[in-house]
Amino acid sequence: MHLPGDRQAGEARIERQVRFWMRAYPRRWRAERGEELLGLVVDLAGPDVRHVGPRGAFDLVRGGWATRWREHPPLHTWLFYILVDRRVPVAYRSWALDEINGFFYPIRRQLPVLAVIATMHVVYPGSYGPPTASSYGFWALMMVSWLLLWPEGNRRRARLRHVAPRPGEHAAEGALVVWDLPRERVSARSILNWAVWLLGTAGAASAGTAVLAHTVSAPVGGRRVVALGIFVVALGLGGLGAVLVRHRLERLLGERPGQPYRVLRPIGGYGKARVVFGALIIAALDWFMFSKPIALGFSVLLGAGALLLLPGAFVVLRVTRRSEVPDLAGTDVWKMAVRGRLPAVDRPGQGLRPLPPAHTPEVSNDAVLG
Amino acid sequence: MTMRITEQGYLVLLSLAEQPRHGYGIVGAVLDLSDGRTKLGAGTLYGLLDRMGDAGLVEACGEEVVDGRLRRYYRLTDDGSAALVAETARLRALTLRARLVLDTHVAFGMA
């Protein structure tokens, strides 16, 4: 006999397991039916069962992949979509939305390039030699880069192209159609915190490498002191730039236009992952240049660039923390501090929202611009 | 869209002929109708409901929350009822033919 607490813990455990195995189902299917399926699996398991057994897991995975297979477009439609970005038929728009929102979408978009490279390896096997650990590492790095550095704007444009109905098309209640939405921007404070951290890491790592590296060569003439001198000069110029930036910000902050079509958000998980990834790449490059007797050129350029920008970024962060500017976005700061200009008023962005019941079934030309 | 009705699909349609049911109710009714021989898994049931929904044989007709869990009810559509009647007639005809074959076979066997 189980106590109520045990029973709740058992239900929570089986729920976690069901949610894990339910990932076999398409994303939109899970959003619409996932809770229902979860309830059924827990009900079927009964009060005393605390695990999804192999048979239950297999049933969910088989059902999920069968659903994916059923919703997947036929081969020729998929090939035109993936190779030449041709719009998918109406019946596959749900699939397209899942595909575009999927984590591995950026890698799938590279499939044509990867297919060409794979073909070249098959047709000319002697020209490329056998794959090495370095080549595997390179491709792993490329894939992580695609996943993390893929611009969100590309996904937004892809959603508008493949999911939104065109003018004159029938759009049923609940269908996703294009709406004018407030423009989403990353807040200046949030992005500057991370920018200062990244620039500081890059500057410190490069300076450390310049001091400790085995060999110093082009483009700094083989002398370690020249590399360090470049860093000092960059930091000095950065300090002068910071004075200019502060002056510009204090002059322009009060003159900024209002932003009625803007929504600010803090830097998201993807943004943070990008910064961490950038820092790791910089640290890896510096370590590589430190551990191998090779030229320090790239490290010097990287470090000089980071040290040039660091003082300005730090000053801007302090100014934005002090001033009452609730709608200040990172892009505003860039325009005012670097270009010395006032930012323009944001226009509303475009996004997809379900069509409410009150609307007419025909999508008007004004509503659909994607 | 038409779909081939499997034995499991037929039992699901039959379970909905009596009254609208939620997923757990369908699984129980199918178990009873099949005399305990067909125990549907959750993944199998929702695959069937999806395909029958796409084919216009069943539709969702309401939902409720019981003990914090969502239960959605399904019912037969007119097309679903027609498909069930047609499939039952086909099975009845098949049963008659099978009986005829077996009777003949048994008759020859006894001769």
Side-chain angles (χ1 to χ4, degrees), chain A residues 80-94:
Chain A
F80 275 114
Y81 162 79
I82 207 78
L83 293 177
V84 295
D85 202 28
R86 195 165 87 173
R87 198 170 142 85
V88 296
V90 177
Y92 301 107
R93 284 198 186 144
S94 296

Side-chain angles (χ1 to χ4, degrees), chain A residues 200-360:
Chain A
T201 304
S206 298
T209 303
V211 171
L212 300 169
H214 294 299
T215 307
V216 181
S217 60
V220 292
R223 302 180 66 174
R224 195 181 307 276
V225 70
V226 177
L228 293 173
I230 288 174
F231 289 154
V232 171
V233 170
L235 197 60
L237 287 175
L240 289 175
V243 174
L244 175 68
V245 159
R246 182 177 182 164
H247 176 70
R248 280 177 173 173
L249 270 185
E250 285 176 348
R251 180 170 58 87
L252 295 174
L253 266 177
E255 299 173 18
R256 283 179 317 117
Q259 298 286 356
Y261 304 116
R262 171 180 288 181
V263 174
L264 280 190
R265 64 170 173 84
I267 188 169
Y270 257 107
K272 289 174 187 171
R274 284 172 187 166
V275 174
V276 171
F277 179 65
L280 286 175
I281 292 290
I282 290 165
L285 283 172
D286 281 327
W287 176 82
F288 190 65
M289 285 182 248
F290 163 70
S291 62
K292 307 280 180 188
I294 61 169
L296 261 178
F298 185 74
S299 187
V300 169
L301 288 176
L302 195 72
L307 292 173
L308 192 67
L309 294 173
L310 181 62
F314 185 71
V315 164
V316 172
L317 178 62
R318 288 193 62 185
V319 171
T320 53
R321 274 185 177 166
R322 276 208 317 264
S323 53
E324 290 298 321
V325 279
D327 61 342
L328 190 65
T331 178
D332 296 343
V333 169
W334 180 260
K335 255 183 197 152
M336 289 188 288
V338 179
R339 301 175 68 182
R341 292 181 187 169
L342 282 170
V345 178
D346 279 344
R347 287 187 296 180
Q350 290 183 332
L352 294 174
R353 272 176 42 186
L355 189 69
H359 275 71
T360 53

Side-chain angles (χ1 to χ4, degrees), chain B residues 5-26:
Chain B
I5 297 177
T6 59
E7 182 183 342
Q8 288 177 335
Y10 178 73
L11 288 168
V12 169
L13 288 177
L14 205 56
S15 74
L16 294 175
E18 193 179 10
Q19 60 180 7
R21 293 181 196 272
H22 49 70
Y24 190 64
I26 296 172

